[in-house]
């Protein structure tokens, strides 16, 4: 009889961890869903200063142009002709309306215009935002 009573006492003293684990997992899901992830073009660009600069929200496509004419999208160097296809694949993953163009202040104007033409060739609903240092 004493053995059964001791077993019942141990059973009653046990702490059920299930509700605490449920709360932890719900909090984890909440933080994952509410966190915004920022993608960068993958390189540092020496951008010119801008007096009227504004921050763009919900932009997840960044294109960087270096002073030597290299074009970087999603941490990959890419040719001008392939920009449109790369943007389409990025839009399929995560739709957006804004493409951020980060051009070095020493970048050639012709390369920047070609990149802008490729962005516009992807879709008329895309807006191009040119990033500058604030």
């Amino acid at each position: 009889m004493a053995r059964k009573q001791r077993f019942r006492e141990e059973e009653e003293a046990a702490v059920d961890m299930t509700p605490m684990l449920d709360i932890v997992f719900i909090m984890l899901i909440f933080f994952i869903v509410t966190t915004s992830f920022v993608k960068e073009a993958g390189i540092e660009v020496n951008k010119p200063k801008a007096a009227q600069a504004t921050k763009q929200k919900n932009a997840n496509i960044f294109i960087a142009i270096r002073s030597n004419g290299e074009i970087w999208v999603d941490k990959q160097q890419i040719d001008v002709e392939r920009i449109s296809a790369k943007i389409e694949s990025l839009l399929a993953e995560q739709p957006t309306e804004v493409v951020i163009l980060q051009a070095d202040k020493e970048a050639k104007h012709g390369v920047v215009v070609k990149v802008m033409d490729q962005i516009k060739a992807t879709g008329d609903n895309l807006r191009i935002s040119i990033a500058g240092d604030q």
Side-chain angles (χ1 to χ4, degrees), residues 65-78:
I65 303 172
R66 292 185 125 175
S67 59
N68 61 1
E70 291 179 353
I71 302 165
W72 290 75
V73 179
D74 199 24
K75 299 180 183 176
Q76 297 176 353
Q77 187 176 352
I78 195 167

Side-chain angles (χ1 to χ4, degrees), residues 20-37:
M20 186 179 74
L21 290 174
D22 289 344
I23 291 172
V24 170
F25 284 126
I26 289 171
M27 288 175 51
L28 179 67
I29 291 169
F30 172 77
F31 288 122
I32 289 172
V33 169
T34 58
T35 303
S36 63
F37 298 99

Side-chain angles (χ1 to χ4, degrees), residues 7-134:
F7 181 70
R8 284 187 185 160
E9 288 175 5
E10 288 178 7
E11 188 177 290
E12 291 175 9
V15 177
D16 188 17
M17 299 293 286
T18 307
M20 186 179 74
L21 290 174
D22 289 344
I23 291 172
V24 170
F25 284 126
I26 289 171
M27 288 175 51
L28 179 67
I29 291 169
F30 172 77
F31 288 122
I32 289 172
V33 169
T34 58
T35 303
S36 63
F37 298 99
V38 177
K39 286 185 178 179
E40 292 293 331
I43 60 169
E44 286 293 320
V45 177
N46 187 15
K47 298 175 279 200
K49 300 281 184 208
Q52 300 293 325
T54 58
K55 292 245 182 208
Q56 280 291 338
K57 295 181 180 178
N58 299 331
N60 45 7
I61 298 178
F62 290 86
I63 300 175
I65 303 172
R66 292 185 125 175
S67 59
N68 61 1
E70 291 179 353
I71 302 165
W72 290 75
V73 179
D74 199 24
K75 299 180 183 176
Q76 297 176 353
Q77 187 176 352
I78 195 167
D79 294 331
V80 176
E81 297 82 22
R82 295 193 178 128
I83 291 175
S84 183
K86 182 67 175 178
I87 291 174
E88 286 177 1
S89 69
L90 290 172
L91 286 173
E93 292 175 14
Q94 201 169 13
T96 185
E97 296 176 356
V98 180
V99 175
I100 304 286
L101 184 60
Q102 301 170 324
D104 193 283
K105 64 182 176 182
E106 302 295 326
K108 295 191 178 185
H109 183 72
V111 175
V112 176
V113 171
K114 285 180 186 177
V115 170
M116 291 173 74
D117 285 343
Q118 287 292 317
I119 294 169
K120 280 299 183 185
T122 304
D124 291 333
N125 59 346
L126 285 178
R127 293 187 337 239
I128 302 171
S129 180
I130 298 176
D133 278 343
Q134 297 179 4

